[in-house]
Amino acid sequence: MDKEQLVDLLEETGRLLELKGENPFKVRAYLNAARALETWPGGLETAAREGTLAEIPGIGKAIAEKIAGVLASGEFPYHAALKAAFPATLFELFELQGLGAKKIRVLYEQLGVSGIEALEGVCADGRLAALPGFGAKTAANLVDAIAQRRSHAGRFLYEKAAVLAETLRAELREHPAVAQIAVAGSYRRHKEVIGDLDFVVATADPEAVSAFFIAHPLVEGVIASGATKSSVRLPGGLQADLRVVSNEAFPFALNYFTGSKEHNIGMRHRALQRGWTLNEYRLANTSGEPVPPIHEEKDLYRALGLDYIEPELRENLGEFAAAEAHTLPRLVELANLRGTFHNHTTASDGRNTLEEMAEAARELGLAYLGIADHSKSSFQAHGLDEKRLAGQGEAIRRLNAGYGAGFRLFAGVECDILPDGSLDFDDETLAGLDYVVASVHSVFNLSEAAMTARIIRAISNRQVTMLGHLTGRLLLSRKPYPVDIPAVIEAAAATGTIIELNCSAQRMELDWRWWPLAKEKGVRCSINPDAHSVTGLQRLAHGIGIARKGWLTRGEVVNCLPLEEIGAVLAAKRSRA
Ligand code: DGT
Ligand code: CA
Ligand code: CA
Ligand code: ZN
């Protein structure tokens, strides 16, 4: 059992105890243990062997013993017994926005609601609204949440799909019959949300590869299986397709199954113009010049008169014209990043301390890390007031004095944009910081005009260095609030405000579809992980994928600048006339 599975088990145990109505301290103990393990950097096996599990901060003696048992046996009977006491469909309810264990327990005990279907019933007949602590508004919100969930069924966040995609890719690659392998489809194009995974394998032994694939331990169900094409269901319901081809056909299959469909249509059209036909197996001459030899995707693009088009750009949004004119941008890469802004610590709602976050950034090879904890109005996230913010600034200065020339912390804040567009701190407080990220965290229900004016007013303040998560969307769960994005981009350009590309798995915004416009207007991007723990910093890699999808180069991403140059960029807006 790996750490992630154990964290899930502990968390689910906490929820089950809460459902059962157990003592809140016991519930907390499991939830805290899950949180603690998630961010604990050590090795579980070692700690279990050495009997030091109880020394992990946040893990008590009783739970440490349970964990040791789970690690030794691979089973958690306590969890299994708790789980067996409830109908399996009850757990669907946790996926609805606005429902937690407390409410679910009331619904189950008082109205016998055992799943989403039953919930729909009691929302419709008024019984839910009549329960104390629920009401008509809750019922209406739940009806919305159910509709949302239905419309997202079968879609997965990139980060979630990535764990399964990379595990399967690595294990398929080890198979002796596998000559080449790729995960194609929307995953290779780095869409923020993935429908299914598309594996493409080149082999001389299709049966062996297909048999290995459908028998893999991660496979929970086989939807279809044949020598050249199989489909399976992975944990969480994610589907994975496997296409098995010969080495000669691999570049064509890879290209076809990478898509997008719209890009494929463009490719086929260009082939036809040359008197050729293109499909997932070959490029063949029908009425034109002989087809040049093609060993990899690059050769295929060259044959069609195009520079190589990176998978992220294959959406038929201008890549053909640019590839023909040799004007495709050189896309930003993870290795170009030198630092990052918008990170939280235990001072607000983060799970690691300032020191731990700095250490993790240094280990990643970054030269600077910007801290931006929440401001006072975000009280539910323990936002900092002026005094605590000043204290954090001093702690940062002390730490900086201890680092050599190669690393620096920048003191910032994620300052709430209040409903009228004013900021949560006065200008003097903000001016004392190295930089300011301004974000909307409340009152999402304004009209588009009012929300647009609110954000533009905020970024017109010279102290605001960058704009956080522009539309407040949470992919697959919360719609963006209405806001005129082109108008905000114009205002960011006019005021010299950087726009954040927030790489929280559910945010991934400013959306990649808008970056070409922002770039054209001269707005610069900061790729921000919005990390709430040391592991959150790893998300920078996903943010890079989205930045590439937005046609961004290192020149447009401020956090590609070296430490010696970034300070001037952060200060630029303040020193404008
Ligand atoms: P997804 O899975 O919904 O996130 O998106 P994709 O792009 O991975 O789509 P998927 O899995 O249905 O198919 C993989 C690729 O196969 C797709 O990007 C392009 C290609 N493809 C599938 N169906 C068609 C089609 O009807 N026409 C063309 N030209 N290509 C197709
Ligand atoms: Ca797919
Ligand atoms: Ca597919
Ligand atoms: Zn935020």
Side-chain angles (χ1 to χ4, degrees):
M1 178 167 314
D2 65 22
K3 192 157 112 182
E4 206 161 321
Q5 289 168 311
L6 184 61
V7 167
D8 287 349
L9 269 181
L10 291 170
E11 196 169 306
E12 203 171 279
T13 305
R15 279 176 168 182
L16 285 162
L17 289 168
E18 204 172 357
L19 266 183
K20 224 182 127 199
E22 276 277 359
N23 166 352
F25 290 105
K26 202 163 164 187
V27 172
R28 279 274 116 219
Y30 277 93
L31 296 179
N32 288 344
R35 287 286 77 77
L37 262 192
E38 208 173 14
T39 52
W40 181 65
L44 269 182
E45 305 288 330
T46 318
R49 203 169 46 239
E50 294 171 355
T52 54
L53 285 169
E55 288 164 28
I56 301 173
I59 294 195
K61 205 160 165 245
I63 290 188
E65 273 167 26
K66 283 217 162 66
I67 293 175
V70 176
L71 290 174
S73 67
E75 277 164 31
F76 195 2
Y78 182 61
H79 166 268
L82 280 169
K83 191 157 182 176
F86 298 100
T89 47
L90 194 64
F91 300 98
E92 300 169 354
L93 299 176
F94 282 100
E95 290 163 30
L96 295 176
Q97 182 99 346
L99 269 193
K102 271 196 205 81
K103 282 209 165 99
I104 294 174
R105 181 170 165 234
V106 173
L107 289 169
Y108 180 56
E109 287 183 347
Q110 309 211 4
L111 300 180
V113 170
S114 60
I116 288 189
E117 224 161 290
L119 179 65
E120 250 182 328
V122 299
C123 284
D125 67 16
R127 284 197 292 156
L128 183 136
L131 279 180
F134 284 76
K137 186 140 184 265
T138 307
N141 288 342
L142 286 172
V143 169
D144 273 355
I146 294 170
Q148 283 259 353
R149 184 181 181 270
R150 292 230 164 95
S151 71
H152 300 321
R155 307 186 70 216
F156 299 81
L157 292 175
Y158 180 92
E159 196 173 284
K160 212 165 168 190
V163 179
L164 293 164
E166 296 307 327
T167 308
L168 272 172
R169 188 214 303 259
E171 294 186 21
L172 275 164
R173 182 179 285 134
E174 293 299 304
H175 191 282
V178 171
Q180 300 185 68
I181 174 161
V183 192
S186 52
Y187 181 74
R188 185 160 180 244
R189 303 199 314 281
H190 214 119
K191 286 284 291 284
E192 64 280 28
V193 170
I194 306 293
D196 69 5
L197 296 175
D198 301 279
F199 289 88
V200 183
V201 165
T203 180
D205 190 352
E207 280 86 8
V209 175
S210 302
F212 176 80
F213 181 70
I214 62 171
H216 192 279
L218 277 175
V219 169
E220 292 189 341
V222 177
I223 299 159
S225 82
T228 58
K229 181 178 187 290
S230 313
S231 287
V232 299
R233 208 170 19 255
L234 302 175
L238 178 63
Q239 187 178 319
D241 295 340
L242 169 72
R243 269 87 175 194
V244 183
V245 298
S246 67
N247 253 320
E248 296 70 55
F250 186 78
F252 304 104
L254 173 62
N255 192 252
Y256 180 88
F257 292 112
T258 297
S260 62
K261 199 166 157 181
E262 293 72 21
H263 181 86
N264 289 355
I265 292 168
M267 293 291 276
R268 205 157 49 218
H269 180 68
R270 296 185 70 88
L272 287 173
Q273 284 176 333
R274 285 166 172 72
W276 300 335
T277 55
L278 174 65
N279 62 27
E280 62 265 54
Y281 304 110
R282 66 187 67 84
L283 179 63
N285 181 15
T286 42
S287 59
E289 301 284 315
V291 169
I294 287 165
H295 305 291
E296 51 178 7
E297 271 193 318
K298 279 202 170 69
D299 303 330
L300 175 58
Y301 283 97
R302 191 176 314 116
L304 299 178
L306 299 166
D307 287 346
Y308 176 69
I309 299 173
E310 299 282 358
E312 291 92 337
L313 301 187
R314 300 183 195 169
E315 301 290 348
N316 199 11
L317 292 172
E319 71 272 23
F320 288 112
E324 195 170 62
H326 310 294
T327 55
L328 281 171
R330 169 134 193 224
L331 302 178
V332 63
E333 292 168 21
L334 184 59
N336 299 148
L337 286 184
R338 293 292 171 269
T340 184
F341 300 96
H342 196 167
N343 299 290
H344 297 268
T345 73
T346 45
S348 66
D349 58 350
R351 298 200 287 267
N352 286 100
T353 63
L354 191 56
E355 289 84 349
E356 287 166 343
M357 292 298 285
E359 211 37 55
R362 271 150 55 104
E363 266 170 37
L364 282 178
L366 298 180
Y368 50 91
L369 181 73
I371 299 300
D373 270 313
H374 287 287
S375 63
K376 60 191 175 188
S377 287
S378 279
F379 48 85
Q380 72 292 351
H382 310 289
L384 279 65
D385 59 16
E386 286 83 350
K387 195 160 160 240
R388 289 176 64 217
L389 188 64
Q392 187 181 60
E394 273 166 37
I396 287 175
R397 275 187 289 281
R398 270 199 306 278
L399 284 170
N400 277 338
Y403 300 131
F407 184 78
R408 190 182 153 180
L409 286 170
F410 285 103
V413 70
E414 183 181 15
C415 186
D416 271 22
I417 299 176
L418 303 180
D420 66 353
S422 62
L423 296 167
D424 206 9
F425 289 123
D426 60 28
D427 287 355
E428 199 188 327
T429 306
L430 297 176
L433 297 163
D434 294 323
Y435 73 100
V436 173
V437 184
S439 313
V440 169
H441 285 122
S442 62
V443 193
F444 294 165
N445 56 354
L446 300 181
S447 68
E448 177 176 316
M451 187 59 94
T452 307
R454 172 185 186 182
I455 293 175
I456 291 178
R457 180 175 170 207
I459 64 175
S460 301
N461 186 315
R462 289 169 50 192
Q463 303 303 334
V464 173
T465 328
M466 53 185 91
L467 173 61
H469 42 74
L470 201 157
T471 73
R473 77 174 181 192
L474 293 178
L475 291 165
L476 305 184
S477 76
R478 186 170 78 200
K479 288 205 215 63
Y481 42 67
V483 54
D484 182 345
I485 295 176
V488 173
I489 289 174
E490 281 296 344
T495 56
T497 310
I498 296 161
I499 295 182
E500 152 181 287
L501 197 177
N502 186 304
C503 25
S504 227
Q506 282 199 283
R507 294 191 185 272
M508 287 301 176
E509 65 158 336
L510 178 62
D511 189 281
W512 57 269
R513 295 158 185 86
W514 290 107
W515 281 111
L517 176 68
K519 174 172 161 162
E520 181 196 316
K521 300 287 175 188
V523 175
R524 287 206 274 182
C525 168
S526 179
I527 301 181
N528 288 344
D530 199 351
H532 284 71
S533 69
V534 291
T535 45
L537 292 171
Q538 308 281 348
R539 293 197 198 117
L540 283 169
H542 297 320
I544 285 283
I546 297 290
R548 289 167 64 83
K549 232 176 154 44
W551 293 59
L552 295 178
T553 67
R554 68 186 298 178
E556 287 130 10
V557 176
V558 292
N559 48 323
C560 290
L561 288 170
L563 180 53
E564 307 80 68
E565 290 172 38
I566 191 69
V569 171
L570 297 180
K573 192 171 161 185
R574 287 173 179 163
S575 50
R576 284 176 130 199

